[in-house]
Amino acid sequence: MSGADDLLHRIETTPELADLLMWPGDFDIARRDPVEQLRLPSGLSLTPIAGDGSGGTYFLCGTPGTTRPVLYADSEGHATLMAADLVEALALIAAFPYWQDLLHGHSAEELEEEIRNDDPDYAAAHAALISLLGVTPPTEEEAVTRLRASASRTVPNFLPIGLLDEGESIYELL
């Protein structure tokens, strides 16, 4: 098994970890059905591994047993490579479950405050997720740098094409 396969198996067999990834991480391994079928221009395979509450899907790109980047495709026709591999993706998701907003310039401090105000249990769940994953969370600056570096590799080979009944549609960069 690869590191990604081992990590997915660990999530699937550790209900507490799966629950914490679902919330506060918004990474639900029970939601692996993408909104539409996709293919990559590069011809690499896409393996759906989780979904989020807004209908988006996380995919591993490439052949099992290799280092596979993680692609996120939302339900509105946008996508981005969000991490170099699953370990990096989950470290980012655990540390910054609002990673998409962080990528678009919002501050972690502002987003953390908003979540804590909405849910007083967030801080404890957030800490438990990081601990159970056993990851060292990146700083906000490191996270933004990694997200931007991954996103910059999306075009042209990782920008998915939706396979529709009436033809194909090319996704836009998230």
Side-chain angles (χ1 to χ4, degrees):
M1 270 195 212
S2 72
D5 293 328
D6 291 340
L7 184 51
L8 281 173
H9 179 73
R10 183 172 155 230
I11 294 165
E12 292 166 344
T13 58
T14 311
E16 182 183 7
L17 180 54
D19 288 347
L20 287 167
L21 279 168
M22 190 170 17
W23 187 89
D26 202 14
F27 182 91
D28 185 354
I29 62 167
R31 298 189 62 249
R32 293 184 179 178
D33 291 329
V35 172
E36 62 187 2
Q37 294 303 308
L38 303 176
R39 72 172 179 83
L40 293 177
S42 64
L44 288 174
S45 64
L46 285 171
T47 304
I49 55 170
D52 69 12
S54 67
T57 305
Y58 291 91
F59 297 88
L60 289 175
C61 305
T63 307
T66 63
T67 301
R68 298 187 285 172
V70 177
L71 177 77
Y72 173 79
D74 71 13
S75 61
E76 304 297 318
H78 300 91
T80 191
L81 278 179
M82 60 95 46
D85 60 27
L86 185 59
V87 172
E88 181 180 77
L90 291 180
L92 288 166
I93 289 167
F96 304 101
Y98 42 79
W99 64 269
Q100 293 175 53
D101 293 325
L102 196 63
L103 184 59
H104 291 292
H106 297 276
S107 77
E109 183 179 327
E110 158 195 343
L111 297 165
E112 287 282 324
E113 182 179 338
E114 188 177 307
I115 292 173
R116 281 193 306 272
N117 288 340
D118 287 344
D119 193 326
D121 296 330
Y122 168 75
H126 184 241
L129 174 57
I130 290 169
S131 175
L132 200 52
L133 269 176
V135 297
T136 301
T139 65
E140 178 179 354
E141 184 178 324
E142 290 169 337
V144 170
T145 299
R146 289 178 192 172
L147 286 164
R148 288 184 179 155
S150 290
S152 72
R153 294 181 31 237
T154 305
V155 175
N157 293 327
F158 293 96
L159 195 60
I161 298 167
L163 307 175
L164 309 169
D165 291 337
E166 55 279 348
E168 296 181 335
S169 69
I170 299 175
Y171 272 52
E172 295 179 25
L173 193 58
L174 182 69

